[in-house]
Amino acid sequence: MVTFLAGGTGTPKLLAGAGDVFAPERTAVVANTGDDIELGGLLVCPDLDTMLFLDGGELDRETWWGIADDTAETHDELHRLATAADLPTGPQYLPADAQTAGRNIARHRRFSGVAEFMHIGDRDRAVHVTRTSLLDAGHSLTAVTRRLADAFGLDRELLPMSDDPVATMIHTPDGPMHFQEWWVGRSGQPAVEDVEFRGGEAASVTDAVRRALADPVVVGPSNPVTSLGPMLAVDGIREALVDTPVVAVSPFVEDEVFSGPAADLMAGVGREPSTAGVAEAYPFADAFVLDSDDGTDLDRPVVRTDTALDTGADSDRVARAVADALAEVA
Ligand code: GDP
């Protein structure tokens, strides 16, 4: 068995065509939940859902979130109502006292559903209704995710990083805001001054994740700050990574990032936005997979290949490089 740590883009892209090297039934995925928010009363888990939809054959591969060809009638109606009622649009945090009331898993990340600031499709929403209802009936996020994985026909074990709430907060000159407000609501503005994983110190690793992390681990080409950072903040995960063979794929080619806000976030937390900075952020990684054009000199074994992940053939090639790197350290 091999366990992958995933955010919402890099690792799913790697797994999308890696089945010949890493068969789904022989792998587990631990997904980041720092990006999760409660929106209009529903718990939305973007990174878990991307894996759910990818492995279920339903993912919108243009965006790497949501269900392909989903309708959005409810979302559109929320906007029509807000406009007709002259209500505000854009991300709206519920009041401060609401952030620590209600269901525990949604602490510090509760948003109004008025003019829903994230695009939620109709079938996508059905997942959030089911998940939230099962959570409210007393099931853990791990147990609920297992049920949803069955519903989508997954052969792979899909695990949330914790059953406790961890909220990724971006500190900016305009004050702290949840990652989704900063990234989706404000397009990655304003400047990042720091990143906090609120709740991290009280969150613990689940038995299922502990078991999965006893196997060799692959850190896909993820955002080291907002996808791996929340996991490393959970008590027990960093320790487990130190104790098992870990291969990490860089999301950079030297100091060029493939996509997304990783460079700004790395700089914001005082790390070099580059492969060298990623290696520093992952002291537990025993080997790296770097792009053939990435000449970064690391103090650990490196396997190089073209790390662009646009097609199934790309995933297969990078997966073989990961397997080679694992063979060196496992
Ligand atoms: P999220 O979408 O914020 O949850 O992001 P992830 O942590 O899953 O992944 C974001 C990272 O994926 C970014 O830092 C990108 O550089 C990286 N990424 C995206 N596409 C590719 C690719 O084709 N190849 C590689 N190596 N990395 C990629």
Side-chain angles (χ1 to χ4, degrees), residues 24-111:
E25 57 277 8
R26 306 263 320 135
T27 63
V29 169
V30 175
N32 168 44
T33 59
D35 291 2
D36 299 3
I37 62 168
E38 190 185 278
L39 185 56
L42 300 179
L43 188 71
V44 179
C45 304
D47 293 352
L48 280 170
D49 289 341
T50 290
M51 282 309 305
L52 208 53
F53 301 157
L54 173 70
D55 278 341
E58 302 269 16
L59 183 70
D60 183 335
R61 300 266 197 120
E62 297 283 307
T63 55
W64 286 83
W65 51 262
I67 290 177
D69 303 320
D70 204 356
T71 55
E73 292 195 24
T74 303
H75 178 79
D76 292 346
E77 182 65 5
L78 286 165
H79 279 260
R80 193 195 68 77
L81 279 176
T83 305
D86 201 20
L87 290 164
T89 57
Q92 297 152 63
Y93 252 108
L94 294 184
D97 56 350
Q99 297 300 334
T100 49
R103 57 179 82 91
N104 188 50
I105 190 89
R107 282 171 78 92
H108 309 301
R109 40 183 168 176
R110 292 202 159 86
F111 287 84

Side-chain angles (χ1 to χ4, degrees), residues 105-120:
I105 190 89
R107 282 171 78 92
H108 309 301
R109 40 183 168 176
R110 292 202 159 86
F111 287 84
S112 166
V114 169
E116 188 169 76
F117 80 97
M118 287 177 91
H119 180 104
I120 309 284

Side-chain angles (χ1 to χ4, degrees), residues 7-10 13 35 47 221-223 227 250-251 257-259 262 307-309:
T9 312
K13 278 179 153 185
D35 291 2
D47 293 352
S222 304
N223 186 318
S227 292
S250 181
V257 76
F258 278 89
S259 64
T307 59
L309 290 163

Side-chain angles (χ1 to χ4, degrees), residues 122-197:
D122 295 319
R123 290 184 59 206
D124 193 348
R125 189 182 308 277
V127 170
H128 311 316
V129 171
T130 304
R131 168 189 296 129
T132 310
S133 300
L134 291 172
L135 287 167
D136 284 350
H139 301 281
S140 67
L141 186 59
T142 298
V144 173
T145 303
R146 196 165 287 138
R147 297 303 276 270
L148 290 170
D150 288 345
F152 278 85
L154 266 62
D155 294 321
R156 205 190 308 276
E157 185 171 30
L158 176 60
L159 301 169
M161 67 184 200
S162 179
D163 285 332
D164 299 317
V166 180
T168 300
M169 308 297 295
I170 309 296
H171 288 261
T172 77
D174 290 358
M177 58 189 78
H178 188 272
F179 173 74
Q180 298 294 358
E181 174 177 1
W182 177 78
W183 179 237
V184 177
R186 301 187 185 216
S187 307
Q189 297 290 331
V192 182
E193 292 180 333
D194 201 4
V195 180
E196 173 198 353
F197 306 109

